[in-house]
Amino acid sequence: MKARKPDSFLSQKPADKLLDIIIWIIVIVAVIITAYPFLYVVSVSISEGNAVARGDVILFPIGFSLDTFKMVMDYEQLWVAYGNTAIYTFFGTICNIVFTCLAAYPLSRKQFFLRRKLNFFVVFTMYFSGGLIPTYMVVTGLGLYNSRLAMILPVLVSTYNMMICRSAMESVPNDLFENAALEGANDFYMLLHIAVPLIKPTLAVLTLYYAVSRYNDFFNGMLYLGKSDLQPLQMFLRRTLILSSSEILQQAGTTGAAAAAQNTLKIRYVCIVLAAVPIFCITPFVQKYLVAGTMLGAVKG
């Protein structure tokens, strides 16, 4: 039996045609609203300084100049911040995934006698927390202030991501665990050799979520890191935007009000582009897991 082909646009009813047109208009507007800021930032960063200072850049770049990129990339503190962010993102994401799996696995097993109570307390933390000041007192009381661990330990597990991982593990057939238990496998073996391999798409999505969150984290650094040598890239970007790029201009030896006015705005956008490049490079490699992994983790509540 042949599958029924979908009706063409011309053969649809007027109401269906109108609905399709409205949907396409909404999609096009959403794409434009989403893509325009990225295109504008890139255009300003590579345009000539005079055109940027006059405000002539609206959508596409005017002229072409990479002098500001060279000026920013010659600034040593940028690469220190990049290195710190790489450390926090890499090791922090690994710790996030490991402890998320360790928390999700027992909560997904129906035979675990504290399952319901612990699930309640875990969900409870999504709505109520101790607050910023008690958290700060705990972190500083543990001696984590001005320590790299202050960027990793306070956000070790995301409740929302853990619940997604738990739901994905609940979707794994229970017969696999029962057969493994009959063969003498313990829970750690079943976690590593049964649960984790079967939820790889979900773990790929959670890895992306955690990595982006780690990469964009500046608030914990602002609270717990007083040393500039430990601060992440986002704090460098924040400082650059707030201080009107004066640090980079001074190191580059830029003089004159006109030259400073041309370079200040460009430096801001160049820093934004450089900060976003790693995420744009990594996302395509895990994009195929996004839909499958998110849907897999959302099958059960």
Side-chain angles (χ1 to χ4, degrees):
M1 183 177 180
K2 295 183 178 180
R4 180 175 177 270
K5 295 182 179 180
D7 296 334
S8 63
F9 179 79
L10 297 176
S11 62
Q12 291 180 351
K13 297 179 180 179
D16 294 335
K17 291 182 180 179
L18 179 61
L19 180 61
D20 286 345
I21 292 174
I22 294 175
I23 292 175
W24 276 106
I25 292 175
I26 294 175
V27 170
I28 292 173
V29 171
V31 170
I32 293 174
I33 293 175
T34 304
Y36 175 74
F38 293 101
L39 181 59
Y40 176 76
V41 169
V42 174
S43 298
V44 171
S45 66
I46 62 177
S47 296
E48 294 181 349
N50 292 329
V52 174
R54 293 193 305 267
D56 295 339
V57 181
I58 298 177
L59 181 60
F60 297 105
I62 297 178
F64 184 77
S65 175
L66 297 179
D67 294 340
T68 308
F69 274 92
K70 184 179 183 301
M71 182 191 304
V72 174
M73 295 177 71
D74 287 340
Y75 188 56
E76 183 180 356
Q77 189 61 34
L78 170 67
W79 301 110
V80 174
Y82 248 121
N84 291 333
T85 295
I87 293 173
Y88 301 143
T89 303
F90 180 76
F91 291 102
T93 302
I94 291 177
C95 292
N96 285 141
I97 292 298
V98 170
F99 283 90
T100 296
C101 291
L102 291 176
Y105 176 75
L107 296 179
S108 67
R109 310 306 300 139
K110 295 182 179 179
Q111 61 268 29
F112 181 44
F113 68 102
L114 290 178
R115 177 173 176 265
R116 290 184 177 274
K117 294 181 180 180
L118 290 180
N119 273 324
F120 169 77
F121 285 114
V122 168
V123 175
F124 185 83
T125 61
M126 295 182 65
Y127 300 97
F128 304 96
S129 65
L132 178 60
I133 295 178
T135 303
Y136 179 83
M137 294 175 62
V138 170
V139 173
T140 54
L142 293 174
L144 299 180
Y145 188 79
N146 273 335
S147 169
R148 294 190 187 276
L149 292 177
M151 294 292 292
I152 297 176
L153 295 183
V155 286
L156 197 58
V157 175
S158 167
T159 304
Y160 178 77
N161 292 341
M162 191 277 292
M163 293 177 64
I164 292 178
C165 186
R166 182 202 65 188
S167 298
M169 290 185 179
E170 286 179 347
S171 65
V172 177
N174 194 49
D175 294 341
L176 298 177
F177 296 106
E178 292 179 351
N179 293 335
L182 291 175
E183 295 294 333
N186 57 29
D187 287 313
F188 283 103
Y189 183 90
M190 290 187 285
L191 170 62
L192 294 176
H193 294 84
I194 297 178
V196 171
L198 292 177
I199 63 167
K200 282 183 179 179
T202 299
L203 293 181
V205 175
L206 296 184
T207 300
L208 178 63
Y209 289 169
Y210 276 126
V212 172
S213 177
R214 292 285 190 180
Y215 189 83
N216 291 326
D217 185 15
F218 76 94
F219 190 68
N220 286 328
M222 187 172 60
L223 289 178
Y224 308 127
L225 299 179
K227 298 180 179 179
S228 59
D229 292 340
L230 298 177
Q231 294 175 353
L233 178 64
Q234 300 303 326
M235 283 196 66
F236 169 80
L237 178 61
R238 176 180 178 273
R239 187 168 66 250
T240 301
L241 298 180
I242 292 178
L243 297 180
S244 301
S245 316
S246 58
E247 296 180 7
I248 301 177
L249 287 173
Q250 291 175 2
Q251 176 167 309
T254 301
T255 58
Q262 291 181 13
N263 287 304
T264 295
L265 185 60
K266 286 197 64 177
I267 287 175
R268 294 178 179 179
Y269 287 111
V270 166
C271 290
I272 294 174
V273 171
L274 292 176
V277 165
I279 296 298
F280 283 120
C281 293
I282 295 174
T283 302
F285 295 99
V286 295
Q287 185 177 5
K288 62 180 180 180
Y289 295 110
L290 285 175
V291 176
T294 304
M295 294 301 294
L296 179 62
V299 173
K300 295 182 180 179

